[in-house]
Amino acid sequence: MKTECYQYFKNPLYWVVIGLGLAVRTVLAYLDGRYRGPQFWELAADFWNKTGSVTMGFLILLVMIRRFSFDTELRTFPIINSTSYGRLSLFWNRLIGGGAAVIAAGLFLYAGNIGISFLLGNKIDMPYGWTNSFSRATVIALVGSVGYFLMSAMICDLAKNHPIAMCLCGLPFASSYFINTGAVSPPDIFWFLRYGFFTDLVRGRTIKTLPVFWLMWYIALIGLTLFFVIRRRKERKEL
C-alpha cells in the first residue's frame, strides 16, 4: 500500500492539478476581497461547492484512476499478472493507496483555502464559527471524494481504458452542476443525476432529500461495481 501511495504522490500531475486549483482559488479570493468584501468569508466557505470539487474531480479522473489502466497501456500487464503480488493484492493496494492520496489532496486543498483566505481577507472580519463550518464541509467532501474515487477506479479497472472510464464517470459527475435542485423531484431521472454519483458530497453538501436512500444507494453502487470487478477478474484469471 505504501508503494502505491508513493506512486500517486510521485506523479507530477497530482501536484499540478492541486496547484492549479489553489491558483484559481487565489485569483478568486483576490477578486472577492476587492469587489465583494462583505461576502468574502461566505464565498471562502463555499470553496468545495465550486473550485474545490472541480479540482478533486479533475484530480481523480485525470490522475488517480489511470493507475488502474496503466499496466495495460504500457503492455506490462502479462508480466505483473504472472506474479503473486500482481493479482488481487495489487488491486487492493491501489484502491487503499489511492483513497489515502485522495484524502491527502483534500487536506492540502483545505489548508490551502484557509491559508489563502486568511492572507487575502485579514482586513475583513471573519464570522464566528467559520473554521468549524468549513471543516465540516471538508469532512463531507473527503467522504464523497473517496467514494467517487473507488467507483471510478473500479470502472477503470473493468474497462482497462482510461479515456472510456473518464467519460463514463465524468459525464454524470459534471452534469449535476447544471441541474437545479429546486427543479427536480424523486424519482425523476435528473434527480438521480443530481445526487446519484457523489457530486453533492464532493461539493461539501449533505443530502437532505431521502438521505437514508442515498446512503444505501452509494453502498450498493460501490458494492455492485466491486462485484463486477471481481467477476471480471475471475474471467481474466487475474485473481
Side-chain angles (χ1 to χ4, degrees):
M1 185 195 78
K2 292 181 180 179
T3 302
E4 287 301 318
C5 193
Y6 174 73
Q7 291 299 320
Y8 288 108
F9 293 137
K10 187 180 177 181
N11 190 338
L13 287 177
Y14 179 89
W15 302 106
V16 168
V17 174
I18 294 175
L20 287 175
L22 292 177
V24 171
R25 171 60 192 144
T26 302
V27 173
L28 294 176
Y30 171 77
L31 295 175
D32 291 341
R34 184 167 184 176
Y35 299 108
R36 294 189 285 183
Q39 298 175 288
F40 179 86
W41 289 104
E42 179 184 348
L43 294 169
D46 203 38
F47 170 74
W48 289 112
N49 185 37
K50 298 176 181 178
T51 308
S53 58
V54 171
T55 302
M56 288 300 293
F58 273 108
L59 182 69
I60 291 170
L61 294 178
L62 290 175
V63 182
M64 307 296 296
I65 67 173
R66 188 164 180 246
R67 291 287 300 167
F68 293 81
S69 64
F70 195 64
D71 303 323
T72 303
E73 293 170 7
L74 294 181
R75 298 183 178 180
T76 59
F77 185 77
I79 299 173
I80 294 175
N81 196 44
S82 65
T83 66
S84 59
Y85 180 73
R87 296 175 182 269
L88 192 60
S89 57
L90 178 59
F91 170 73
W92 286 118
N93 285 332
R94 282 181 174 171
L95 279 183
I96 297 170
V102 167
I103 292 174
L107 293 177
F108 282 126
L109 292 172
Y110 166 79
N113 182 53
I114 288 181
I116 292 166
S117 300
F118 274 79
L119 181 64
L120 298 179
N122 59 78
K123 297 181 180 179
I124 304 172
D125 292 335
M126 183 180 68
Y128 176 78
W130 181 89
T131 304
N132 291 335
S133 176
F134 181 59
S135 297
R136 285 194 295 269
T138 299
V139 172
I140 297 170
L142 291 178
V143 172
S145 297
V146 171
Y148 183 60
F149 163 74
L150 293 176
M151 182 195 73
S152 302
M154 289 188 287
I155 289 176
C156 190
D157 188 82
L158 279 170
K160 296 295 183 185
N161 188 301
H162 184 222
I164 289 177
M166 285 180 61
C167 292
L168 291 175
C169 301
L171 289 176
F173 181 84
S175 66
S176 71
Y177 284 86
F178 304 97
I179 299 174
N180 186 354
T181 54
V184 297
S185 58
D188 195 301
I189 182 63
F190 293 105
W191 182 66
F192 273 98
L193 286 175
R194 171 71 191 190
Y195 299 110
F197 297 94
F198 300 96
T199 311
D200 257 40
L201 294 179
V202 179
R203 297 173 76 175
R205 299 174 174 181
T206 55
I207 300 178
K208 298 180 180 179
T209 305
L210 302 177
V212 176
F213 168 79
W214 288 116
L215 175 62
M216 300 304 297
W217 167 265
Y218 292 141
I219 293 173
L221 187 64
I222 293 176
L224 284 173
T225 309
L226 179 60
F227 169 79
F228 285 115
V229 166
I230 293 176
R231 181 178 177 181
R232 183 61 174 159
R233 280 178 166 263
K234 286 182 178 179
E235 294 175 355
R236 294 170 175 167
K237 297 181 180 180
E238 298 172 15
L239 294 180

